[in-house]
Amino acid sequence: MVLWILLVLAAGAAVYYGIRFEGSLKQRDRHAMIALSAITVVILGVQLYRAELLGEIFIEPFAFMGEAPDLFVQVLWQGFVDGTLYALIALGFVLIFKASGVFNFAQGIMVVFGALSLVGLHAAGVPAWGALVLALVIMGVLAVGVERIVLRPLVNQEPIILFMATIGLWYFLIGFGELIFGGEPKVMITEQLGLPTGRWRFDILGGRVNVNQLDVAAAAIAVLLVTGLGIFFNKTRIGRALRAVADDHQAAMSVGISLNQIWRIVWFAAGIVALATGIMWGAKSDVSFALAIVALKALPVLILGGFTSIPGAIVGGLIIGIGEKMAEFYWGPLVGGSIESWFPYFLALIFLLFRPQGLFGDKIIDRI
Amino acid sequence: MSFKKLALGIGAAGMLASGLFAASTPAQAEDTIYVPLLTYRTGAFAGSGVPIANGLHDYLAMLNERDGGVGGARLIIEECETGYNAQKGVECYESTKGNGAIVYNPFSTGITLQLIPKAPVDEIPILSMGYGLSATAVGETFPWTFNAPATYWSQMSAIITHINEQGDGIAGQKIGFIYLDVGYGREPIDLLDALAADMGFEVVKVPVAVAEMQSQSSHWLQVRRENPDWMIMWGWGAMNPTAIKEAINIDYPMDRFIGVWWSGGDSDLRPAGDDAIGYLSANFHATGTDFPAIQDILTHVVDAGLSQASRESVGENYYNRGLMNSVLIAEGIRTAQELTGKVAITGADMRMGLENMNLSEERLAEIGLAGFTNPITVTCEDHAGAHPIYLQQWNGAGWEAASDWITPMRDRVRPLLEAAAEAYVADKPDWETQSCN
């Protein structure tokens, strides 16, 4: 059935492409493509209908939303919570991309490294809040180290070189982290940090909605961090310098902006974001190197929101978070489940069809 | 000296040193037996891999320290890091088999599947203790692979037996099955479907992709929607603690949630702590340190600084799982030595030793592990044995036995295993089988 659905979507996309990009094909070819694609859509649609799949795809999930509104609200809430955390992770990528034009592949392992530092320091006897401060210092040292050892020697190199350097950083931090902290998973010091661990149960909408207090705290902290960093980088002098660096390294340096300082600041900000993500996600599961995988959930958010847009990261995170939960819950069982891992990419690609530059990205105009 | 030159110097020195270390690996002498251990102390699954690796290593190290090895042969124990990655596992196999390896313990179904065809070619047996390809229990078809004390299918049938013995039986009930969506997690599905058809229960399957191991809220909302009477989990690594926390979030009763024996690590339950009290997990050996052999490990290995395990972690479930695996290795070696009269045995001898192993109650008592596990016998026909399992229950800080020994449904499982074995070799005309008559 997956094949059928994909064929319908592919044919639909072909129709759209034929209509939208009229200049890229000869008139006759364009008409032929639209006609053929439309026929394919109709044939496949009839097949789906005959197999009673149309109802399962387009009617039953929505009917179930009405039948069990408590579950609908629960799914929305879980999607919102995860979405805010995706936005937070994506923000880490966006900040570094804006400053250096590089996709920081090491963002995921920075999440693990930050969380392990915090838990490791606490296990060594440092009080929770002291460990938090020291973990922030470690992320600061990491930022300075990355700027001094990795980025500075690569100034004015191609972005792909910088990207490769961040892959190297990923492996270095994995090895270094395992050397220092070991490979065993740790328990996040949730209560010691004063984060709530209880649960509210609301008997509403003919059922129940469970809300973890930790999720509320996670969403609140994510919103605060995203807003704070957004304001910092949009409304301050450093923010303007960041935008200048993003536009042109050499031009920014020529007007006295310190590229190295900007890089240290954005890497530190990305480190703060990584630490916050590590705390929140570590509390939902455990603190292990598997957390690095979570950061890759931000990739479709970046595709959707654009690599340079802070609002894009926020809105993209929420769309992906809610979208993937809804898809897995309401449509996942139709195809045997486990669609959450690829559905965000599919959703992002659909958006890209209409906005190739991402939701909030600038329209790309190349003058020839 | 510039920073760059210093860094390059350190790197070069490190490479030279590692080369020297590799070159100085002790050569195998007549009175030694080389036992490579494919372990994973790093990566996303290290939480389960580290305690297993410690248990594997420490029991063998204890035999070396206390007895001078096994049957007069000192064991050369060498770990190779697989990261629970099939490709790396095969690399470990290829790089160590030439050292005279007598047995491999892949500790990964993915790696096991890769090594099964290599075992008869290289004449080194595979011991996939309680994991791997269930069909390899059919000894006639898979002479070189062993999966005692029980296959995944035996385990699933025992879990279903347990559920069937509660209340009004399993007929008409809904059983949820949440699993890591890889070969390991999918392994028992055929049996579960067959049992569902035979016994009249419904199965709701909830696959969890590796990328979603730590993000399972929608999967557990699916469970809440389906409201199964029991949940069975085939999880691993970070999937386990996340699943248990999410089950708590949806108010799923812990005492109706049963994990495979790979979903019962102490580190899996610690993040949930008291909230997970009542959670059940299958097992085939005891936990704790109240056994003379484990006390010897503490004395001769841990306290002597020869182990990577902390003293407190000795006796945890996965530590004892690794230890149990090494017990089977050591008993296989002993049996092979008795059968061949050799001290330093080969892989082919070890295969014979594993195939004739009889870990009786008396023998368990002799080696300081009385009551640690149910007696285990392996035969030419049956390389797993369908030995009984039991359920253990989380009490907030550790595990307690929660059932008697449960006998798997051998009559139902064996024909399915034989059919699966036949299907495996159907397209392999040169596959080497053996006759057990």
Side-chain angles (χ1 to χ4, degrees):
Chain A
M1 194 195 77
V2 179
L3 186 64
W4 281 111
I5 295 170
L6 289 177
L7 283 171
V8 170
L9 291 170
V15 173
Y16 170 78
Y17 182 79
I19 293 168
R20 182 179 166 94
F21 300 101
E22 54 191 76
S24 56
L25 286 172
K26 284 182 185 172
Q27 188 78 352
R28 191 188 58 191
D29 295 344
R30 186 169 153 252
H31 286 157
M33 194 179 90
I34 293 171
L36 274 173
S37 305
I39 291 167
T40 311
V41 169
V42 170
I43 292 171
L44 294 175
V46 168
Q47 289 293 334
L48 283 172
Y49 177 76
R50 286 171 62 181
E52 297 180 353
L53 290 172
L54 277 180
E56 289 181 15
I57 296 168
F58 296 109
I59 298 171
E60 288 178 17
F62 296 101
F64 186 68
M65 287 177 202
E67 286 168 23
D70 59 324
L71 277 173
F72 178 66
V73 171
Q74 188 79 61
V75 174
L76 276 182
W77 167 247
Q78 297 299 153
F80 173 77
V81 171
D82 282 5
T84 54
L85 288 170
Y86 294 162
L88 195 57
I89 303 169
L91 190 64
F93 285 103
V94 166
L95 290 175
I96 289 174
F97 190 85
K98 274 170 81 79
S100 53
V102 61
F103 175 78
N104 176 24
F105 193 80
Q107 186 68 29
I109 198 66
M110 284 169 64
V111 170
V112 178
F113 199 75
L116 279 177
S117 301
L118 173 65
V119 177
L121 285 164
H122 186 258
V126 181
W129 284 95
L132 182 64
V133 172
L134 283 177
L136 281 170
V137 171
I138 288 173
M139 298 317 280
V141 171
L142 180 68
V144 173
V146 166
E147 185 278 317
R148 176 70 183 83
I149 298 168
V150 181
L151 297 179
R152 198 182 293 183
L154 297 177
V155 169
N156 284 331
Q157 294 290 325
E158 293 292 320
I160 187 68
I161 304 291
L162 289 162
F163 173 64
M164 297 301 282
T166 67
I167 294 179
L169 183 62
W170 162 284
Y171 284 108
F172 171 75
L173 287 178
I174 287 178
F176 189 60
E178 283 171 342
L179 188 69
I180 303 290
F181 303 108
E184 301 97 327
K186 317 279 189 297
V187 179
M188 178 46 71
I189 49 172
T190 316
E191 288 176 20
Q192 293 89 332
L193 286 171
L195 291 168
T197 54
R199 193 149 42 103
W200 289 308
R201 177 186 163 129
F202 301 102
D203 291 312
I204 52 172
L205 301 168
R208 72 177 195 276
V209 175
N210 291 338
V211 176
N212 275 332
Q213 291 170 11
L214 180 69
D215 284 346
V216 177
I221 290 170
V223 168
L224 277 175
L225 262 178
V226 169
T227 311
L229 288 170
I231 290 170
F232 181 71
F233 284 106
N234 275 305
K235 303 289 181 190
T236 64
R237 190 169 158 273
I238 292 174
R240 283 197 296 278
L242 170 68
R243 289 205 298 277
V245 169
D247 277 350
D248 191 317
H249 287 179
Q250 286 180 329
M253 289 166 78
S254 71
V255 295
I257 294 171
S258 167
L259 193 60
N260 298 331
Q261 188 191 26
I262 292 294
W263 277 353
R264 283 195 292 268
I265 290 169
V266 291
W267 275 80
F268 181 48
I272 295 172
V273 165
L275 178 59
T277 311
I279 293 171
M280 296 310 166
W281 221 292
K284 284 159 75 81
S285 175
D286 60 10
V287 181
S288 67
F289 283 84
L291 268 182
I293 301 170
V294 169
L296 298 180
K297 303 276 288 184
L299 290 181
V301 177
L302 293 168
I303 296 170
L304 183 60
F307 279 73
T308 57
S309 168
I310 290 174
I314 300 165
V315 177
L318 292 177
I319 290 175
I320 293 293
I322 294 171
E324 69 173 19
K325 300 294 173 216
M326 298 280 282
E328 179 71 49
F329 185 73
Y330 288 106
W331 287 274
L334 288 176
V335 290
S338 205
I339 69 171
E340 201 173 326
S341 51
W342 58 261
F343 183 80
Y345 292 93
F346 175 72
L347 193 63
L349 289 174
I350 295 286
F351 271 88
L352 279 188
L353 204 59
F354 297 93
R355 286 195 61 85
Q357 66 278 23
L359 277 179
F360 295 92
D362 298 327
K363 194 157 189 175
I364 302 159
I365 301 169
D366 278 331
R367 297 188 194 285
I368 303 169
Chain B
M1 186 186 283
S2 71
F3 178 80
K4 190 182 285 183
K5 282 181 182 167
L6 180 66
L8 285 172
I10 292 171
M15 279 192 283
L16 187 63
S18 63
L20 286 174
F21 273 118
S24 65
T25 303
Q28 188 178 352
E30 191 62 26
D31 58 351
T32 60
I33 293 174
Y34 177 66
V35 185
L37 301 177
L38 306 193
T39 55
Y40 42 101
R41 295 178 179 274
T42 64
F45 298 91
S48 310
V50 170
I52 289 171
N54 287 337
L56 267 170
H57 171 273
D58 289 0
Y59 183 76
L60 298 177
M62 183 272 286
L63 294 179
N64 271 345
E65 296 304 309
R66 190 190 64 185
D67 307 334
V70 180
R74 192 168 181 82
L75 305 174
I76 299 175
I77 311 157
E78 187 178 30
E79 287 191 39
C80 185
E81 173 68 34
T82 70
Y84 196 65
N85 176 295
Q87 188 185 336
K88 280 191 193 170
V90 173
E91 284 171 13
C92 279
Y93 175 86
E94 294 295 344
S95 66
T96 54
K97 71 179 184 185
N99 297 343
I102 55 146
V103 66
Y104 278 94
N105 311 269
F107 265 101
S108 148
T109 294
I111 299 172
T112 306
L113 294 175
Q114 296 292 317
L115 298 190
I116 287 170
K118 293 176 181 289
V121 177
D122 296 322
E123 297 199 338
I124 305 171
I126 307 297
L127 172 57
S128 52
M129 183 194 68
Y131 59 90
L133 184 68
S134 295
T136 57
V138 182
E140 294 99 328
T141 310
F142 296 95
W144 289 90
T145 309
F146 298 82
N147 48 1
T151 66
Y152 282 138
W153 291 11
S154 293
Q155 179 180 194
M156 177 60 88
S157 74
I159 291 171
I160 294 298
T161 299
H162 172 79
I163 294 172
N164 194 36
E165 288 170 354
Q166 312 300 309
D168 298 330
I170 200 168
Q173 293 207 14
K174 189 187 277 190
I175 307 296
F177 179 60
I178 188 162
Y179 61 98
L180 190 61
D181 197 11
V182 295
Y184 147 70
R186 291 190 286 262
E187 173 68 13
I189 287 179
D190 287 349
L191 177 80
L192 189 59
D193 286 340
L195 291 178
D198 284 356
M199 301 173 75
F201 62 88
E202 184 188 347
V203 179
V204 177
K205 297 174 194 125
V206 186
V208 178
V210 171
E212 304 302 327
M213 283 195 304
Q214 292 188 299
S215 178
Q216 294 178 41
S217 56
S218 49
H219 301 82
W220 282 91
L221 286 177
Q222 199 71 40
V223 173
R224 180 175 150 189
R225 169 183 177 167
E226 296 289 345
N227 195 23
D229 298 288
W230 290 82
M231 278 302 294
I232 300 173
M233 172 161 70
W234 240 247
W236 188 226
M239 174 179 164
N240 292 332
T242 315
I244 291 163
K245 281 199 165 185
E246 292 293 350
I248 293 164
N249 285 344
I250 65 159
D251 301 321
Y252 196 83
M254 285 290 110
D255 58 356
R256 296 178 85 82
F257 186 12
I258 305 174
V260 65
W261 49 52
W262 303 117
S263 294
D266 293 60
S267 62
D268 295 333
L269 276 295
R270 264 189 220 111
D274 286 350
D275 290 341
I277 289 174
Y279 171 82
L280 296 155
S281 168
N283 208 343
F284 52 80
H285 58 75
T287 56
T289 60
D290 197 16
F291 300 91
I294 300 181
Q295 290 301 316
D296 285 346
I297 288 176
L298 289 168
T299 307
H300 294 285
V301 183
V302 178
D303 293 346
L306 300 175
S307 171
Q308 294 189 50
S310 63
R311 211 170 199 284
E312 321 64 89
S313 68
V314 175
E316 286 184 355
N317 192 20
Y318 284 167
Y319 182 93
N320 283 10
R321 186 73 45 82
L323 184 154
M324 167 93 186
N325 193 116
S326 282
V327 169
L328 296 187
I329 294 174
E331 290 309 300
I333 293 173
R334 277 199 184 94
T335 310
Q337 288 171 329
E338 285 168 16
L339 290 172
T340 62
K342 295 180 191 172
V343 175
I345 60 164
T346 64
D349 299 331
M350 181 65 174
R351 192 202 78 77
M352 203 190 308
L354 288 170
E355 202 164 76
N356 291 280
M357 190 166 54
N358 180 15
L359 193 55
S360 62
E361 277 181 28
E362 295 75 27
R363 182 64 193 149
L364 282 166
E366 278 172 28
I367 61 175
L369 290 168
F372 183 75
T373 184
N374 212 52
I376 294 171
T377 51
V378 180
T379 63
C380 173
E381 294 85 1
D382 196 342
H383 281 192
H387 296 93
I389 68 162
Y390 75 100
L391 296 182
Q392 58 183 7
Q393 195 159 34
W394 181 250
N395 64 13
W399 295 101
E400 293 170 1
S403 78
D404 292 330
W405 289 100
I406 307 165
T407 305
M409 305 174 195
R410 193 176 191 284
D411 293 347
R412 284 176 189 264
V413 172
R414 183 69 189 184
L416 294 169
L417 289 173
E418 286 171 357
E422 205 169 306
Y424 182 90
V425 297
D427 59 349
K428 300 175 184 68
D430 298 329
W431 188 261
E432 193 181 314
T433 58
Q434 68 174 341
S435 170
C436 293
N437 297 319

